[in-house]
Amino acid sequence: MATTRGNKPREAVKRQLVWPFSSLYVLTASAVETILPTEPVMADQIVITEKSSQAKDVRAAVGSRYGDILPAEGHLLDLLEPEDVVPDWKRWSPILLRPEGLYGTRPAEGGNKAAKLKAIREALRTAKRVWLATDCDREGQLIGQEILEHYEYRGQVMRVLFTAQDSQTIRDAFGRAKPNAEYARLYAAAVARRQADQIYNLSLTRTATVILGQGARRVIGVGRVKTPTLAIVCKRELEIRNFVPISYFEVVATAKVAAGQFQMRHAPQERIVRREIAQDIANAAEGFEGALAVRVEDKRQGPPKLHDLPSLQKLCGSRFGWPASKTLEVAQELYDGEGKKIITYPRAEVRYLPQSLISDVPKIVAGLQMGQSFSTIPVPEPPVIRKGASGTFYDKGLEGASHHAVIPNVNTIDKLPEVWPRLSFDEKKLFDVIARAYLAALMPDFRYRQTTATLDVRGFEFRASGRQPINLGWRAAFPDWQPADEKGDEAQLLPPLRNGETALLQDPKIEDKETRPPPRYNEGTLIEAMQNAWRFVDDEVLRERLKEAKGIGTPATRAEIIGGLKRQRFLMAQGKHIVPTETGLSLFGVLKQADPALVDPGVTAQLECLLDDVVVGKQEMVGAIDAVCDVAQRIIGKLKEGAAAGGPPLLGAAVVNGSGSYPPTPAMKRFADSLARQKGITPPAGYRTSISICRKFLNEHVPKKANGETAGTLGTKPVSPAQLLYAKKIAQGKGVVIPDEAKASSAAMSAWIDSNRGTKRRKRGRGAGYKRAESMAPESTAPTKRSRKRKADTTAAASTPAKTNSVTGTPLRIPYGNKDVALKLGARYGSAGWYAPPGVDLSAFGERGWL
């Protein structure tokens, strides 16, 4: 019999506590358990959490009443490698790597995984019941259940789901735990995704490397989600580079009426591209008098939806300049940070709440309004509760999802005054975003009066519109926010206007306009594009179906996918924006030419839809894996057909880590440009990104000296001992081999060093998070220290002869839309185009491919 402190039987303690008050109320078993000062360890059951911090929170909430609490460390098991299943698969070949059945699992390596797995394995031998208390999403289900499957555990398994990590929420979650069998579909969906990704990614990576990367020294990685994500950015970059701006004109005039004056504009749907036409319209408007057609409408607008992780990442990316990974990191700290826990589960993928949370509204509102910044927000009493698809509380909108939108945690909201001083500046900013969205969702509609006035000026329509607020409603939660459609002319406050009253036009002006290319992505808008991959599908029926899906990737993995592409140097940060490197563009081009399905976000979105259907029972696990394998098999077939037909292999200069994997020095590129202009020839493709291609071009076209040596050839200086020593240190630290090509000359070695050495990250003190936002630049834009060696290389490169601009300097190729960045780096614009004046550091332009 279980005992408590003092060795009294537990039932006796319960009787003593309950009996005297039985005429008033009866304590529940859980209430009694809470009162008991200590709890014995239940040796026949255990709790498995996803990480150590989670185990600590569970232990604080429920003690040991559910047994020992054993943390995992993320995935404690990896899938077997192909060669572990079929030994012949060790040799890379263009085949589908699908085993009979599923890939098995094996213990993962790294960190403290082995010790944690051993502890769980030993406990499972005697445990009659297991409580899975991992994260409440699909990945959390997989992390916990795969351990039980690996060790063939056959005892009772209960699933504990909590969307906040405070003690009360955790206790409630254990109280309503359900048999794990009820979550079989969630586990099947996670297994299907993991197995499908293993088969697709490894099969196509090996196929692409063998067929497209002939002679390459590095793997050409293809990923079911990674490659289409790269494609999204590359397509946008090519759109911008190929964009040809078109000049057009608009006419604006001042309209005078009895009650005042305002601006009217002639802006037809068909743009005016000839100035003489615009001038004729301006002449017609000068001094024109006519009757206004005025339409006044009272309109209303509901509040925006609550936040999920992608919408938070988009907002923080545009407003604060945060990378997507930082938004998740800050949100995670608010969710489970020590002494915080003030928001619900952050990896949300829906923007609704269940109707069961309506009862929490008064407590959350009251808790938020205790704070100074939220107390001024006029939430009505009672709050506005909106249900259904266009509202906030919508059970149907949560089907297939394991958690709801991100909101303040009801169980810790009363502790907000004491928690607030412990939050960093960034944590306060993010909580402010989440809290205001919640309060806005409970406020009345924004009501306004929309006034539109038109005037027929001798056949040309002039128009003016304005919006006058009637009741701010939810907009009062965002006093400093102004939507894009209320800026410019739309923001003007019109005087009182009557339909049919006379207006006089004066002072017409012609405004020069120019079409603009689409904007580059930042991490937030890129994640939004991944989430809305249906936009990349042309088929209307399929587009509509995919709108209901969740795009490509998952909220928990999208930021990591972008980070991986940056680490592989396929993408890079340029200020707030994400742009492809030349290597990334080259890989995209080759894969698209080989088979467009490889880089089509729409294809991946269809596969994601099938995988998501497993959760709701519309698709079986094996059927979803079959569908992914069918697509992979078809792509492999097309790649093999292309190779048999003599299709071009992937240039080693584009993506491999061999002789052409790093760019030539700035001096080599300038010398090549100079030779091309002098001889009237076109340099070969890739000469600006591959040192081997550039060197070959120079060796072929540089004039010969009388003794047969090449005159002016760059890079013939041998590698210095200091260079070689430094290169060896880099190679040893990164676990790579210095290629022979890099050892051929000082310039080649310098290029290899520049492309392989990392930059040191600035250490942040504990108080760094409390600095003002204006002083915190994104890490990617912080200037890095250059070594004396690199400065010397730049100086030497600058001394190389090159044909310069009409204004003395080095010619530059600045892509459209980079004017401000170019000017900050020291570039100037002259009669012959962009150039860098003498003395300006060229390395920054070289890193961007602008030399």
Side-chain angles (χ1 to χ4, degrees):
M1 179 179 293
T3 60
T4 62
R5 184 177 301 172
N7 295 322
K8 286 186 178 182
R10 178 178 299 212
E11 291 302 320
V13 176
K14 288 184 180 179
R15 283 194 297 272
Q16 286 183 356
L17 288 171
V18 174
W19 179 252
F21 308 100
S22 59
S23 60
L24 300 176
Y25 60 87
V26 177
L27 290 179
T28 63
S30 61
V32 175
E33 300 258 359
T34 304
I35 295 173
L36 293 175
T38 60
E39 294 294 333
V41 175
M42 303 297 290
D44 59 346
Q45 56 183 355
I46 63 169
V47 179
I48 298 177
T49 66
E50 189 161 324
K51 49 197 170 186
S52 297
S53 62
Q54 204 172 53
K56 182 178 179 181
D57 291 336
V58 171
R59 191 173 293 112
V62 299
S64 58
R65 74 192 63 170
Y66 299 101
D68 273 341
I69 300 170
L70 303 174
E73 188 179 320
H75 285 282
L76 294 182
L77 298 165
D78 290 333
L79 293 183
L80 295 173
E81 292 295 324
E83 52 267 31
D84 298 329
V85 180
V86 179
D88 289 346
W89 285 352
K90 186 172 184 178
R91 180 178 178 84
W92 285 30
S93 59
I95 59 173
L96 186 71
L97 302 170
R98 185 176 189 182
E100 292 291 333
L102 302 177
Y103 276 98
T105 53
R106 65 179 177 188
E109 298 177 354
N112 200 25
K113 292 180 182 290
K116 291 185 175 180
L117 185 60
K118 181 181 179 182
I120 295 174
R121 182 191 67 203
E122 294 300 320
L124 287 176
R125 291 177 176 173
T126 57
K128 296 178 181 178
R129 178 185 294 167
V130 172
W131 303 80
L132 285 185
T134 47
D135 278 354
C136 59
D137 58 2
R138 180 169 47 202
E139 199 69 13
Q141 186 71 30
L142 178 62
I143 287 171
Q145 191 168 340
E146 68 181 353
I147 299 172
L148 305 182
E149 297 291 339
H150 182 80
Y151 291 118
E152 300 180 351
Y153 179 75
R154 293 297 175 260
Q156 184 184 22
V157 182
M158 301 295 290
R159 184 66 167 109
V160 183
L161 294 176
F162 41 85
T163 57
Q165 219 158 290
D166 62 281
S167 293
Q168 185 59 51
T169 299
I170 293 172
R171 282 194 291 269
D172 291 344
F174 272 91
R176 61 173 180 268
K178 296 180 180 180
N180 189 57
E182 294 189 22
Y183 301 94
R185 288 177 180 171
L186 191 64
Y187 178 67
V191 171
R193 180 178 296 273
R194 197 181 194 199
Q195 294 280 332
D197 280 349
Q198 168 110 334
I199 297 168
Y200 185 100
N201 295 352
L202 294 185
S203 299
L204 290 179
T205 291
R206 292 187 178 196
T207 299
T209 302
V210 170
I211 293 179
L212 301 177
Q214 297 172 13
R217 299 185 193 178
R218 190 178 117 186
V219 171
I220 300 173
V222 175
R224 187 178 60 84
V225 179
K226 180 184 73 174
T227 309
T229 301
L230 172 65
I232 291 172
V233 183
C234 288
K235 287 178 181 177
R236 176 61 56 87
E237 183 66 21
L238 293 175
E239 284 180 52
I240 294 171
R241 292 189 182 187
N242 297 328
F243 180 80
V244 179
I246 299 173
S247 298
Y248 65 98
F249 308 94
E250 291 183 1
V251 182
V252 63
T254 300
K256 287 192 173 182
V257 293
Q261 64 184 35
F262 57 98
Q263 297 294 307
M264 298 197 79
R265 179 177 298 274
H266 176 64
Q269 289 185 343
E270 295 292 329
R271 293 190 178 102
I272 303 169
V273 295
R274 294 170 53 193
R275 178 173 280 277
E276 54 267 30
I277 295 177
Q279 188 61 58
D280 290 342
I281 297 170
N283 294 338
E286 180 64 57
F288 178 83
E289 280 190 277
L292 286 173
V294 180
R295 185 174 75 253
V296 180
E297 298 176 281
D298 284 353
K299 294 188 175 183
R300 60 175 58 230
Q301 182 184 48
K305 291 189 182 302
L306 296 172
H307 286 297
D308 58 4
L309 180 59
S311 69
L312 280 176
Q313 289 169 322
K314 179 186 177 183
L315 186 147
C316 293
S318 60
R319 186 178 297 179
F320 309 140
W322 291 1
S325 57
K326 177 174 179 177
T327 302
L328 177 56
E329 178 185 335
V330 176
Q332 190 71 31
E333 184 66 19
L334 290 173
Y335 168 67
D336 63 7
E338 182 68 31
K340 297 169 186 176
K341 302 175 177 54
I342 54 174
I343 66 169
T344 58
Y345 190 67
R347 289 178 170 85
E349 53 189 342
V350 291
R351 304 180 71 174
Y352 292 112
L353 297 177
Q355 293 188 22
S356 61
L357 295 190
I358 294 176
S359 59
D360 292 341
V361 168
K363 184 175 180 181
I364 295 178
V365 171
L368 288 174
Q369 292 192 326
M370 290 175 63
Q372 184 176 354
S373 59
F374 305 125
S375 61
T376 57
I377 299 177
V379 180
E381 179 55 47
V384 179
I385 303 298
R386 296 176 177 85
K387 301 178 183 179
S390 60
T392 302
F393 300 91
Y394 184 42
D395 288 344
K396 190 174 180 181
L398 292 163
E399 289 181 359
S402 50
H403 36 81
H404 53 68
V406 189
I407 61 171
N409 181 0
V410 65
N411 290 318
T412 56
I413 196 68
D414 55 344
K415 299 177 183 176
L416 192 57
E418 63 185 78
V419 172
W420 192 256
R422 292 198 291 267
L423 302 183
S424 71
F425 184 57
D426 287 339
E427 289 163 1
K428 289 177 180 177
K429 287 198 296 187
L430 185 58
F431 184 81
D432 183 87
V433 167
I434 295 168
R436 287 181 186 275
Y438 183 83
L439 294 175
L442 303 169
M443 296 171 69
D445 289 350
F446 167 53
R447 294 177 52 235
Y448 59 95
R449 180 165 292 120
Q450 181 74 48
T451 303
T452 305
T454 56
L455 182 63
D456 188 334
V457 181
R458 300 185 175 94
F460 303 110
E461 183 184 88
F462 276 68
R463 174 183 293 267
S465 62
R467 181 179 287 186
Q468 291 83 39
I470 299 173
N471 184 346
L472 281 177
W474 61 266
R475 288 275 295 268
F478 309 101
D480 300 324
W481 174 68
Q482 186 181 24
D485 63 353
E486 294 181 24
K487 297 176 182 177
D489 290 346
E490 297 292 330
Q492 67 175 321
L493 184 63
L494 298 178
L497 300 175
R498 301 189 319 276
N499 188 44
E501 75 171 295
T502 300
L504 170 65
L505 293 187
Q506 294 180 335
D507 194 24
K509 296 178 181 177
I510 299 174
E511 292 184 346
D512 294 341
K513 301 281 187 176
E514 190 176 76
T515 56
R516 302 182 67 83
R520 287 184 169 88
Y521 291 107
N522 59 42
E523 288 202 25
T525 56
L526 177 55
I527 282 179
E528 183 190 36
M530 295 170 71
Q531 187 182 28
N532 296 289
W534 59 267
R535 294 173 180 167
F536 303 98
V537 177
D538 295 327
D539 185 281
E540 288 298 328
V541 176
L542 184 58
R543 278 169 66 96
E544 290 303 313
R545 180 168 180 265
L546 292 179
K547 283 182 182 180
E548 302 174 4
K550 299 181 178 68
I552 62 175
T554 67
T557 60
R558 289 179 186 132
E560 178 57 31
I561 288 166
I562 296 171
L565 288 168
K566 290 164 72 175
R567 287 191 296 273
Q568 291 176 287
R569 299 184 183 178
F570 293 142
L571 297 180
M572 66 179 182
Q574 192 177 86
K576 288 184 178 181
H577 297 125
I578 295 292
V579 297
T581 61
E582 293 302 319
T583 300
L585 283 169
S586 298
L587 177 61
F588 164 71
V590 171
L591 294 179
K592 182 181 179 182
Q593 182 181 356
D595 187 347
L598 279 168
V599 294
D600 187 349
V603 172
T604 297
Q606 294 176 59
L607 298 179
E608 292 276 2
C609 197
L610 289 170
L611 293 169
D612 287 339
D613 283 347
V614 177
V615 178
V616 293
K618 294 181 181 179
Q619 179 68 257
E620 293 298 322
M621 177 182 72
V622 175
I625 297 174
D626 286 342
V628 175
C629 289
D630 288 345
V631 172
Q633 186 67 72
R634 185 184 63 78
I635 295 173
I636 291 170
K638 288 195 69 174
L639 293 176
K640 291 167 73 174
E641 289 173 11
L650 182 61
L651 287 176
V655 298
V656 300
N657 195 23
S659 61
S661 63
Y662 45 91
T665 64
M668 292 177 69
K669 286 186 283 189
R670 287 198 301 274
F671 196 16
D673 290 335
S674 177
L675 277 175
R677 288 192 293 266
Q678 291 171 12
K679 296 194 171 188
I681 55 178
T682 302
Y687 83 103
R688 300 187 68 82
T689 56
S690 167
I691 192 170
S692 59
I693 296 176
C694 188
R695 182 187 308 287
K696 182 179 179 183
F697 173 73
L698 292 174
N699 290 339
E700 288 176 354
H701 295 284
V702 170
K704 305 290 183 179
K705 291 182 179 180
N707 60 3
E709 294 180 0
T710 302
T713 302
L714 294 177
T716 55
K717 180 181 177 181
V719 177
S720 69
Q723 267 187 313
L724 187 58
L725 180 61
Y726 187 34
K728 286 180 178 179
K729 288 183 178 179
I730 293 175
Q732 184 178 6
K734 298 185 71 173
V736 298
V737 177
I738 304 173
D740 293 338
E741 180 74 17
K743 300 176 183 178
S745 67
S746 175
M749 182 60 77
S750 176
W752 186 87
I753 289 172
D754 283 348
S755 64
N756 282 276
R757 67 180 174 185
T759 55
K760 293 183 179 179
R761 297 179 62 179
R762 177 174 60 87
K763 292 184 178 179
R764 295 181 59 186
R766 181 173 294 182
Y770 294 89
K771 294 181 181 178
R772 292 185 56 81
E774 292 79 7
S775 67
M776 297 179 65
E779 190 173 283
S780 57
T781 61
T784 56
K785 296 181 180 179
R786 292 179 173 85
S787 67
R788 294 182 180 178
K789 170 63 188 169
R790 185 163 180 181
K791 288 183 179 179
D793 291 342
T794 305
T795 305
S799 65
T800 305
K803 188 173 179 179
T804 58
N805 197 284
S806 56
V807 179
T808 304
T810 303
L812 300 173
R813 297 191 306 180
I814 308 298
Y816 183 89
N818 289 276
K819 175 182 175 182
D820 293 340
V821 176
L823 290 173
K824 287 180 181 179
L825 293 175
R828 296 294 179 266
Y829 192 80
S831 58
W834 286 98
Y835 69 98
V840 171
D841 186 358
L842 300 176
S843 58
F845 299 107
E847 291 169 359
R848 291 170 168 80
W850 294 351
L851 282 174

